[in-house]
Amino acid sequence: MSASPPVLSIEGVVKFFGEHQVLRGVDLEVAEHQVVTVIGSSGSGKSTLMRCVNLLEVVDDGVITLDGEDITDPRADVDRIRRRIGVVFQAYNLFPHMTVLDNITLAPRVVHGLPRDQAAEQALDLLDRVGLRDKAGEYPDRLSGGQQQRAAIVRALATDPRLLLLDEVTSALDPELVGEVLRLVRELAEQGVTILMATHEMGFARQVADRVCFLDQGAVLEQGPPEQVLGDPVEPRTRQFLARIIDAGRL
Ligand SMILES: Nc1ncnc2c1ncn2[C@@H]1O[C@H](COP(=O)(O)OP(=O)(O)O)[C@@H](O)[C@H]1O
Ligand SMILES: [Mg+2]
């Protein structure tokens, strides 16, 4: 009997942009129902790593598997793989010319072939659960930044993905709006959604993450349970990074 593979496995991933090596052999795993947060300075490669997982970038070396399937194989079916991953970026996630409801039902209808009524019913149910049902008919620019990000998370979940990628989803928000988005992510974590999340919200990482990975100059310098990596880091560079974050008032 063999244990099932992790939902996501990243092994030795290398990425260059021209001469610039941005990822230097990243190793990271996310097991089912786990929340793994990636922390690290701006420019350390967090977004590039996420983009490699979602196949928006082609890796130069290494292997990424999703449920045991090698998704970095050049013969892999990119569309089919992307359907199994939900993604939310820092900002501008929603299509501005579509209502919230149409944003959410688009992929279930077009990609998964769900009838319009059924897609709408499911979307309204999801919106209800995050307190946004009354915004279903609005265009994104009528929503606050926090509401937009919550709607974007709902959209990412509408196709029932195996993995949710969250790339600094609160970084562009006014401070008073950060909490409502983190509360939603916490609820999803409690419901067992498997999440890989780049974030500067150390308090959130400490409370919600199963594992914290410190990415430094394109490599995972240190990873482990939050109380270890955030509370008692081994590496001097992790300590320096956390000290800067504390200075910025984010711990
Ligand atoms: N498309 C690109 N072309 C060239 N360089 C890039 C590109 N995307 C990111 N980079 C560079 O890769 C490095 C890592 O960036 P990024 O992954 O965005 O880091 P982070 O998300 O941790 O801030 C940075 O030096 C950035 O300038
Ligand atoms: Mg980034």
Side-chain angles (χ1 to χ4, degrees), residues 6 18 52 65 69 76 81 89 110 120 135 139 143 146 150 155 168-169 174 188 205 226 234 250:
C52 288
T65 66
E69 178 188 349
I81 291 158
F89 301 106
V110 175
K135 304 294 180 194
Y139 286 86
L143 273 59
R150 284 189 287 143
R155 189 179 67 171
E168 297 204 34
V169 292
D174 291 336
L188 299 175
V234 176
R250 302 194 82 136

Short mmCIF file of all heavy atoms in Angstrom, two decimals, residues 6 18 52 65 69 76 81 89 110 120 135 139 143 146 150 155 168-169 174 188 205 226 234 250:
data_model
loop_
_atom_site.label_atom_id
_atom_site.label_comp_id
_atom_site.label_asym_id
_atom_site.label_seq_id
_atom_site.Cartn_x
_atom_site.Cartn_y
_atom_site.Cartn_z
N PRO A 6 1.59 14.02 -2.41
CA PRO A 6 1.11 15.34 -2.01
C PRO A 6 0.33 15.98 -3.16
O PRO A 6 0.54 15.61 -4.32
CB PRO A 6 2.39 16.13 -1.73
CG PRO A 6 3.50 15.36 -2.34
CD PRO A 6 3.05 13.94 -2.46
N GLY A 18 16.39 35.56 -18.70
CA GLY A 18 17.65 35.93 -19.35
C GLY A 18 18.81 35.35 -18.55
O GLY A 18 18.85 34.15 -18.29
N CYS A 52 5.07 29.54 -11.97
CA CYS A 52 5.55 28.25 -12.49
C CYS A 52 4.54 27.14 -12.18
O CYS A 52 4.27 26.28 -13.03
CB CYS A 52 6.91 27.89 -11.89
SG CYS A 52 8.27 28.90 -12.51
N THR A 65 4.82 18.41 -9.62
CA THR A 65 3.73 17.46 -9.81
C THR A 65 2.48 17.94 -9.08
O THR A 65 2.55 18.54 -8.01
CB THR A 65 4.08 16.03 -9.32
OG1 THR A 65 4.25 16.05 -7.90
CG2 THR A 65 5.34 15.50 -9.99
N GLU A 69 1.04 13.91 -10.88
CA GLU A 69 1.25 14.03 -12.33
C GLU A 69 2.26 15.13 -12.63
O GLU A 69 2.14 16.24 -12.12
CB GLU A 69 -0.10 14.37 -13.00
CG GLU A 69 0.01 14.57 -14.50
CD GLU A 69 -1.28 15.09 -15.13
OE1 GLU A 69 -2.33 15.11 -14.44
OE2 GLU A 69 -1.22 15.49 -16.31
N ALA A 76 2.48 17.97 -21.29
CA ALA A 76 1.30 18.09 -20.42
C ALA A 76 0.26 19.02 -21.04
O ALA A 76 0.60 19.97 -21.75
CB ALA A 76 1.73 18.62 -19.05
N ILE A 81 -4.62 21.12 -16.79
CA ILE A 81 -3.95 21.27 -15.49
C ILE A 81 -4.42 22.55 -14.80
O ILE A 81 -4.72 22.56 -13.60
CB ILE A 81 -2.43 21.26 -15.69
CG1 ILE A 81 -2.00 19.85 -16.10
CG2 ILE A 81 -1.71 21.70 -14.42
CD1 ILE A 81 -0.70 19.78 -16.81
N PHE A 89 -4.47 36.73 -7.52
CA PHE A 89 -3.29 37.59 -7.44
C PHE A 89 -3.56 38.76 -6.51
O PHE A 89 -4.64 38.89 -5.93
CB PHE A 89 -2.93 38.10 -8.84
CG PHE A 89 -2.63 37.01 -9.83
CD1 PHE A 89 -3.54 36.70 -10.83
CD2 PHE A 89 -1.45 36.29 -9.76
CE1 PHE A 89 -3.27 35.69 -11.75
CE2 PHE A 89 -1.17 35.28 -10.68
CZ PHE A 89 -2.08 34.98 -11.68
N VAL A 110 -18.14 27.84 -19.20
CA VAL A 110 -17.40 27.70 -20.45
C VAL A 110 -16.42 26.52 -20.40
O VAL A 110 -16.32 25.75 -21.35
CB VAL A 110 -16.65 29.01 -20.77
CG1 VAL A 110 -15.78 28.84 -22.00
CG2 VAL A 110 -17.66 30.14 -20.97
N ALA A 120 -25.20 29.58 -11.93
CA ALA A 120 -25.63 30.76 -11.18
C ALA A 120 -26.05 30.37 -9.76
O ALA A 120 -25.72 31.06 -8.79
CB ALA A 120 -26.78 31.44 -11.91
N LYS A 135 -24.10 41.55 -3.92
CA LYS A 135 -23.23 42.19 -4.92
C LYS A 135 -23.20 41.43 -6.24
O LYS A 135 -22.49 41.82 -7.18
CB LYS A 135 -21.78 42.27 -4.39
CG LYS A 135 -21.63 42.98 -3.07
CD LYS A 135 -21.97 44.46 -3.21
CE LYS A 135 -21.81 45.16 -1.86
NZ LYS A 135 -22.44 46.48 -1.87
N TYR A 139 -20.91 45.47 -10.95
CA TYR A 139 -19.62 45.38 -11.63
C TYR A 139 -18.52 45.58 -10.59
O TYR A 139 -18.73 46.23 -9.57
CB TYR A 139 -19.55 46.42 -12.76
CG TYR A 139 -20.40 46.00 -13.93
CD1 TYR A 139 -21.76 46.31 -13.97
CD2 TYR A 139 -19.86 45.24 -14.96
CE1 TYR A 139 -22.56 45.90 -15.02
CE2 TYR A 139 -20.66 44.81 -16.02
CZ TYR A 139 -22.01 45.15 -16.04
OH TYR A 139 -22.79 44.71 -17.07
N LEU A 143 -17.38 47.56 -6.02
CA LEU A 143 -17.03 46.83 -4.79
C LEU A 143 -15.78 47.44 -4.16
O LEU A 143 -14.91 47.96 -4.88
CB LEU A 143 -16.75 45.36 -5.11
CG LEU A 143 -17.93 44.39 -5.12
CD1 LEU A 143 -18.99 44.79 -6.13
CD2 LEU A 143 -17.44 42.97 -5.42
N GLY A 146 -11.56 44.90 -0.68
CA GLY A 146 -11.71 43.66 0.08
C GLY A 146 -12.82 42.79 -0.48
O GLY A 146 -12.68 41.56 -0.57
N ARG A 150 -12.47 39.06 -2.13
CA ARG A 150 -13.30 37.93 -1.68
C ARG A 150 -14.05 37.33 -2.86
O ARG A 150 -14.15 36.10 -2.99
CB ARG A 150 -14.26 38.38 -0.57
CG ARG A 150 -13.54 38.55 0.77
CD ARG A 150 -14.51 38.77 1.90
NE ARG A 150 -15.10 40.09 1.86
CZ ARG A 150 -16.36 40.37 2.18
NH1 ARG A 150 -17.17 39.42 2.57
NH2 ARG A 150 -16.80 41.60 2.12
N ARG A 155 -14.50 33.15 -7.06
CA ARG A 155 -14.39 32.73 -8.46
C ARG A 155 -13.37 31.60 -8.61
O ARG A 155 -13.60 30.64 -9.35
CB ARG A 155 -13.98 33.92 -9.34
CG ARG A 155 -14.07 33.57 -10.81
CD ARG A 155 -13.70 34.72 -11.70
NE ARG A 155 -12.29 35.05 -11.55
CZ ARG A 155 -11.67 35.90 -12.34
NH1 ARG A 155 -12.33 36.54 -13.28
NH2 ARG A 155 -10.40 36.15 -12.16
N GLU A 168 -0.09 37.07 -2.43
CA GLU A 168 -0.19 38.38 -1.75
C GLU A 168 -1.55 39.03 -1.97
O GLU A 168 -1.63 40.19 -2.38
CB GLU A 168 0.94 39.29 -2.23
CG GLU A 168 2.30 38.73 -1.87
CD GLU A 168 3.37 39.80 -1.77
OE1 GLU A 168 3.03 40.93 -1.36
OE2 GLU A 168 4.52 39.51 -2.09
N VAL A 169 -2.59 38.28 -1.69
CA VAL A 169 -3.95 38.75 -2.01
C VAL A 169 -4.39 39.94 -1.16
O VAL A 169 -5.40 40.57 -1.49
CB VAL A 169 -5.00 37.61 -1.87
CG1 VAL A 169 -4.80 36.56 -2.94
CG2 VAL A 169 -4.98 36.99 -0.48
N ASP A 174 -6.19 48.50 1.49
CA ASP A 174 -6.08 49.38 2.64
C ASP A 174 -6.11 48.51 3.90
O ASP A 174 -6.81 47.50 3.94
CB ASP A 174 -7.27 50.35 2.69
CG ASP A 174 -7.21 51.36 1.55
OD1 ASP A 174 -6.09 51.62 1.05
OD2 ASP A 174 -8.27 51.86 1.16
N LEU A 188 -11.63 28.98 4.70
CA LEU A 188 -11.36 27.96 3.68
C LEU A 188 -10.37 26.93 4.21
O LEU A 188 -10.53 25.73 3.98
CB LEU A 188 -10.80 28.62 2.41
CG LEU A 188 -11.72 29.63 1.74
CD1 LEU A 188 -11.02 30.29 0.58
CD2 LEU A 188 -13.01 28.96 1.29
N ALA A 205 0.00 33.91 9.09
CA ALA A 205 0.80 32.70 8.83
C ALA A 205 0.99 31.91 10.13
O ALA A 205 0.87 30.69 10.17
CB ALA A 205 2.16 33.07 8.23
N PRO A 226 5.06 27.08 11.74
CA PRO A 226 5.20 28.52 11.95
C PRO A 226 5.90 28.88 13.26
O PRO A 226 6.69 29.83 13.30
CB PRO A 226 3.76 29.04 11.93
CG PRO A 226 2.87 27.87 11.78
CD PRO A 226 3.69 26.68 11.41
N VAL A 234 16.29 29.38 12.53
CA VAL A 234 17.67 28.93 12.64
C VAL A 234 18.60 29.86 11.87
O VAL A 234 19.70 30.18 12.31
CB VAL A 234 17.79 27.49 12.07
CG1 VAL A 234 19.23 27.02 12.09
CG2 VAL A 234 16.88 26.54 12.85
N ARG A 250 4.17 44.40 11.21
CA ARG A 250 3.29 43.39 10.61
C ARG A 250 3.33 42.05 11.33
O ARG A 250 2.81 41.07 10.83
CB ARG A 250 3.65 43.17 9.14
CG ARG A 250 3.56 44.45 8.36
CD ARG A 250 3.59 44.18 6.90
NE ARG A 250 2.28 43.78 6.41
CZ ARG A 250 1.76 44.24 5.30
NH1 ARG A 250 2.39 45.10 4.57
NH2 ARG A 250 0.57 43.82 4.91
#
